[in-house]
Coordinates of all heavy atoms in Angstrom, one line a residue:
T351 N -14.3 46.5 -17.8 CA -13.7 47.8 -17.4 C -12.2 47.6 -17.3 O -11.7 46.8 -16.6 CB -14.2 48.1 -16.0 OG1 -15.7 48.0 -16.0 CG2 -13.9 49.5 -15.5
F352 N -11.5 48.5 -18.0 CA -10.0 48.5 -17.9 C -9.6 49.2 -16.7 O -10.0 50.3 -16.4 CB -9.4 49.1 -19.2 CG -9.7 48.3 -20.4 CD1 -10.8 48.6 -21.3 CD2 -9.0 47.1 -20.7 CE1 -11.1 47.8 -22.4 CE2 -9.3 46.3 -21.8 CZ -10.3 46.7 -22.6
V353 N -8.8 48.5 -15.9 CA -8.3 49.1 -14.6 C -6.8 49.1 -14.6 O -6.1 48.6 -15.5 CB -8.8 48.2 -13.4 CG1 -10.3 48.2 -13.3 CG2 -8.2 46.8 -13.5
K354 N -6.2 49.8 -13.6 CA -4.8 50.0 -13.4 C -4.1 48.7 -13.6 O -4.5 47.7 -13.0 CB -4.5 50.6 -12.1 CG -3.1 51.0 -11.8 CD -3.1 51.9 -10.5 CE -1.7 52.2 -10.1 NZ -1.0 51.2 -9.3
D355 N -3.0 48.7 -14.3 CA -2.3 47.4 -14.6 C -1.6 46.8 -13.4 O -1.3 47.6 -12.4 CB -1.2 47.6 -15.7 CG -1.0 46.4 -16.5 OD1 -1.5 45.3 -16.2 OD2 -0.2 46.5 -17.5
R356 N -1.4 45.5 -13.4 CA -0.7 44.8 -12.3 C 0.8 45.3 -12.4 O 1.3 45.4 -13.5 CB -0.7 43.3 -12.6 CG 0.1 42.5 -11.7 CD 0.0 41.0 -12.1 NE -1.2 40.4 -11.6 CZ -1.5 39.1 -11.8 NH1 -0.8 38.4 -12.7 NH2 -2.6 38.6 -11.3
A357 N 1.4 45.6 -11.3 CA 2.8 46.0 -11.3 C 3.7 44.9 -11.9 O 3.5 43.7 -11.5 CB 3.3 46.4 -9.9
G358 N 4.6 45.2 -12.8 CA 5.5 44.2 -13.4 C 4.8 43.1 -14.1 O 5.3 42.0 -14.3
H359 N 3.6 43.4 -14.7 CA 2.8 42.4 -15.3 C 3.5 41.7 -16.5 O 3.8 42.3 -17.5 CB 1.5 43.1 -15.9 CG 0.4 42.2 -16.2 ND1 -0.9 42.7 -16.5 CD2 0.2 40.9 -16.2 CE1 -1.7 41.8 -16.7 NE2 -1.0 40.6 -16.6
D360 N 3.7 40.3 -16.3 CA 4.3 39.6 -17.3 C 3.5 39.5 -18.6 O 2.2 39.3 -18.5 CB 4.5 38.1 -16.9 CG 5.6 38.0 -15.8 OD1 6.5 38.9 -15.8 OD2 5.7 37.0 -15.1
L361 N 4.1 39.8 -19.8 CA 3.3 39.9 -21.0 C 2.7 38.6 -21.5 O 1.5 38.5 -21.7 CB 4.2 40.5 -22.1 CG 3.5 40.6 -23.5 CD1 2.4 41.6 -23.4 CD2 4.4 40.9 -24.6
R362 N 3.6 37.6 -21.6 CA 3.1 36.3 -22.2 C 3.7 35.1 -21.6 O 4.9 35.1 -21.3 CB 3.4 36.4 -23.7 CG 3.0 35.1 -24.5 CD 3.1 35.3 -26.0 NE 3.1 34.0 -26.6 CZ 4.2 33.3 -27.0 NH1 5.4 33.9 -27.0 NH2 4.1 32.1 -27.6
Y363 N 2.9 34.1 -21.3 CA 3.4 32.7 -21.0 C 2.9 31.8 -22.0 O 1.8 31.8 -22.4 CB 2.8 32.2 -19.6 CG 3.0 33.1 -18.4 CD1 2.0 33.2 -17.5 CD2 4.1 33.9 -18.2 CE1 2.1 34.0 -16.3 CE2 4.3 34.7 -17.1 CZ 3.3 34.7 -16.1 OH 3.4 35.5 -15.0
A364 N 3.8 30.8 -22.4 CA 3.4 29.8 -23.3 C 4.3 28.6 -23.1 O 5.6 28.8 -23.1 CB 3.4 30.2 -24.8
I365 N 3.7 27.4 -23.0 CA 4.5 26.2 -22.6 C 4.7 25.3 -23.8 O 3.8 25.1 -24.6 CB 3.7 25.5 -21.5 CG1 4.0 26.1 -20.1 CG2 4.1 24.0 -21.5 CD1 5.2 25.7 -19.4
D366 N 6.0 24.8 -23.9 CA 6.2 23.7 -24.8 C 6.2 22.4 -24.0 O 7.0 22.2 -23.2 CB 7.7 23.9 -25.4 CG 8.1 22.7 -26.3 OD1 7.4 21.7 -26.2 OD2 9.1 22.8 -27.0
S367 N 5.1 21.7 -24.2 CA 4.9 20.5 -23.4 C 5.3 19.2 -24.1 O 4.8 18.1 -23.8 CB 3.5 20.4 -22.9 OG 2.6 20.2 -24.0
S368 N 6.2 19.3 -25.1 CA 6.5 18.1 -26.0 C 7.2 17.0 -25.2 O 7.0 15.9 -25.5 CB 7.3 18.5 -27.2 OG 8.4 19.3 -26.8
K369 N 7.9 17.4 -24.1 CA 8.6 16.4 -23.3 C 7.6 15.4 -22.7 O 7.7 14.2 -22.8 CB 9.5 17.0 -22.3 CG 10.3 16.0 -21.4 CD 11.3 16.7 -20.5 CE 11.9 15.7 -19.5 NZ 12.8 16.3 -18.6
I370 N 6.7 16.0 -21.9 CA 5.7 15.1 -21.2 C 4.8 14.3 -22.2 O 4.4 13.2 -22.0 CB 4.9 15.8 -20.2 CG1 4.0 14.8 -19.4 CG2 4.0 17.0 -20.7 CD1 3.2 15.5 -18.3
Q371 N 4.6 15.0 -23.4 CA 3.7 14.3 -24.4 C 4.5 13.1 -24.9 O 3.9 12.0 -25.1 CB 3.4 15.3 -25.5 CG 2.6 16.5 -25.0 CD 1.6 17.1 -26.0 OE1 1.2 16.4 -26.9 NE2 1.2 18.3 -25.8
K372 N 5.8 13.3 -25.3 CA 6.5 12.2 -25.9 C 6.9 11.1 -24.9 O 6.7 10.0 -25.1 CB 7.9 12.8 -26.5 CG 7.7 13.3 -27.9 CD 9.1 13.5 -28.5 CE 9.0 14.7 -29.5 NZ 9.8 15.8 -29.2
E373 N 7.4 11.6 -23.7 CA 7.9 10.6 -22.7 C 6.8 9.9 -21.9 O 7.0 8.7 -21.5 CB 8.9 11.3 -21.8 CG 10.2 11.7 -22.6 CD 11.3 12.2 -21.7 OE1 11.2 12.1 -20.4 OE2 12.2 12.8 -22.2
L374 N 5.8 10.6 -21.6 CA 4.8 10.0 -20.7 C 3.4 9.9 -21.4 O 2.4 9.4 -20.7 CB 4.6 10.8 -19.4 CG 5.9 11.0 -18.6 CD1 5.7 11.8 -17.3 CD2 6.6 9.7 -18.3
G375 N 3.3 10.3 -22.6 CA 2.0 10.1 -23.4 C 0.9 10.9 -22.9 O -0.3 10.6 -23.1
W376 N 1.2 12.1 -22.3 CA 0.1 13.0 -21.8 C -0.3 14.0 -22.9 O 0.6 14.4 -23.7 CB 0.6 13.7 -20.6 CG -0.4 14.8 -20.1 CD1 -1.5 14.6 -19.3 CD2 -0.4 16.2 -20.5 NE1 -2.1 15.8 -19.1 CE2 -1.5 16.8 -19.8 CE3 0.4 17.0 -21.3 CZ2 -1.8 18.1 -19.9 CZ3 0.1 18.3 -21.4 CH2 -1.0 18.9 -20.7
K377 N -1.5 14.3 -23.0 CA -1.9 15.6 -23.8 C -3.2 16.2 -23.2 O -4.0 15.4 -22.6 CB -2.0 15.3 -25.2 CG -3.0 14.3 -25.7 CD -3.0 14.3 -27.2 CE -4.0 13.6 -28.0 NZ -4.6 12.4 -27.7
P378 N -3.4 17.5 -23.4 CA -4.6 18.1 -22.9 C -5.8 17.4 -23.6 O -5.7 17.2 -24.8 CB -4.5 19.5 -23.3 CG -3.2 19.8 -23.9 CD -2.5 18.4 -24.1
S379 N -6.9 17.2 -22.9 CA -8.0 16.5 -23.5 C -9.2 17.4 -23.8 O -10.1 17.0 -24.6 CB -8.4 15.3 -22.6 OG -9.1 15.8 -21.4
I380 N -9.3 18.5 -23.1 CA -10.6 19.2 -23.2 C -10.4 20.5 -24.0 O -9.6 21.3 -23.7 CB -11.1 19.5 -21.7 CG1 -11.5 18.2 -21.1 CG2 -12.3 20.5 -21.8 CD1 -12.1 18.3 -19.7
Q381 N -11.3 20.6 -25.0 CA -11.3 21.8 -25.8 C -11.7 23.0 -25.0 O -12.5 22.9 -24.1 CB -12.2 21.5 -27.0 CG -12.1 22.4 -28.2 CD -13.2 23.5 -28.1 OE1 -14.2 23.3 -27.5 NE2 -12.9 24.6 -28.8
F382 N -11.1 24.2 -25.3 CA -11.2 25.3 -24.4 C -12.6 25.8 -24.2 O -13.1 26.0 -23.0 CB -10.3 26.5 -24.8 CG -10.2 27.6 -23.8 CD1 -9.9 27.3 -22.5 CD2 -10.4 28.9 -24.2 CE1 -9.8 28.3 -21.5 CE2 -10.2 29.9 -23.2 CZ -9.9 29.6 -21.9
R383 N -13.4 26.0 -25.3 CA -14.8 26.5 -25.1 C -15.6 25.5 -24.2 O -16.4 25.9 -23.4 CB -15.4 26.7 -26.5 CG -16.8 27.3 -26.3 CD -17.5 27.6 -27.6 NE -18.8 28.2 -27.2 CZ -19.2 29.4 -27.5 NH1 -18.4 30.2 -28.1 NH2 -20.4 29.8 -27.1
K384 N -15.4 24.2 -24.5 CA -16.1 23.2 -23.7 C -15.8 23.3 -22.2 O -16.6 23.2 -21.4 CB -15.8 21.8 -24.2 CG -16.5 21.4 -25.5 CD -17.0 19.9 -25.3 CE -18.0 19.6 -26.4 NZ -17.3 19.4 -27.7
G385 N -14.4 23.4 -22.0 CA -13.9 23.5 -20.6 C -14.5 24.7 -19.9 O -14.9 24.7 -18.7
L386 N -14.6 25.8 -20.7 CA -15.1 27.1 -20.1 C -16.6 26.9 -19.8 O -17.1 27.4 -18.7 CB -14.9 28.2 -21.0 CG -13.7 29.1 -20.9 CD1 -13.8 30.3 -21.8 CD2 -13.5 29.6 -19.5
E387 N -17.3 26.3 -20.7 CA -18.8 26.1 -20.5 C -19.0 25.2 -19.3 O -19.9 25.5 -18.4 CB -19.4 25.4 -21.7 CG -19.6 26.4 -22.9 CD -20.0 25.8 -24.2 OE1 -20.1 24.6 -24.2 OE2 -20.3 26.6 -25.1
K388 N -18.2 24.2 -19.1 CA -18.3 23.3 -17.9 C -18.0 24.1 -16.7 O -18.7 23.9 -15.6 CB -17.2 22.2 -18.0 CG -17.7 20.9 -18.6 CD -16.6 19.9 -18.6 CE -16.7 18.9 -17.5 NZ -16.0 17.6 -17.7
T389 N -17.0 24.9 -16.7 CA -16.6 25.7 -15.6 C -17.8 26.7 -15.2 O -18.1 26.8 -14.0 CB -15.3 26.5 -15.9 OG1 -14.4 25.6 -16.3 CG2 -14.8 27.3 -14.7
V390 N -18.3 27.4 -16.2 CA -19.4 28.3 -16.0 C -20.6 27.6 -15.3 O -21.2 28.0 -14.3 CB -19.8 29.0 -17.3 CG1 -21.2 29.7 -17.1 CG2 -18.8 30.0 -17.7
D391 N -20.9 26.4 -15.9 CA -22.1 25.6 -15.4 C -21.8 25.3 -13.9 O -22.7 25.4 -13.1 CB -22.2 24.3 -16.2 CG -22.8 24.5 -17.5 OD1 -23.4 25.6 -17.8 OD2 -22.7 23.6 -18.4
W392 N -20.6 24.9 -13.6 CA -20.3 24.5 -12.2 C -20.5 25.7 -11.3 O -21.1 25.6 -10.2 CB -18.8 24.0 -12.1 CG -18.6 23.5 -10.7 CD1 -18.9 22.3 -10.2 CD2 -18.1 24.2 -9.6 NE1 -18.6 22.2 -8.9 CE2 -18.1 23.4 -8.4 CE3 -17.7 25.6 -9.4 CZ2 -17.7 23.8 -7.2 CZ3 -17.2 26.0 -8.1 CH2 -17.2 25.1 -7.0
Y393 N -20.0 26.9 -11.7 CA -20.1 28.1 -10.8 C -21.6 28.5 -10.7 O -22.0 28.9 -9.6 CB -19.2 29.3 -11.3 CG -17.8 29.1 -10.9 CD1 -16.9 28.5 -11.7 CD2 -17.4 29.5 -9.6 CE1 -15.5 28.3 -11.3 CE2 -16.0 29.3 -9.2 CZ -15.1 28.7 -10.1 OH -13.8 28.5 -9.6
L394 N -22.3 28.4 -11.8 CA -23.7 28.8 -11.7 C -24.6 27.8 -10.8 O -25.6 28.2 -10.3 CB -24.3 28.9 -13.1 CG -23.7 30.1 -13.9 CD1 -24.4 30.2 -15.3 CD2 -23.9 31.4 -13.2

Side-chain angles (χ1 to χ4, degrees):
T351 308
F352 293 100
V353 297
K354 185 167 175 275
D355 207 353
R356 173 182 280 176
H359 197 172
D360 288 339
L361 177 67
R362 175 172 165 259
Y363 305 144
I365 280 278
D366 174 346
S367 64
S368 52
K369 178 174 172 180
I370 186 177
Q371 300 215 18
K372 275 194 210 118
E373 293 185 13
L374 304 184
W376 174 87
K377 61 175 188 324
S379 70
I380 294 181
Q381 194 262 337
F382 191 48
R383 185 179 177 114
K384 282 226 167 70
L386 266 188
E387 284 172 354
K388 263 180 104 158
T389 305
V390 166
D391 285 342
W392 186 86
Y393 279 94
L394 293 181

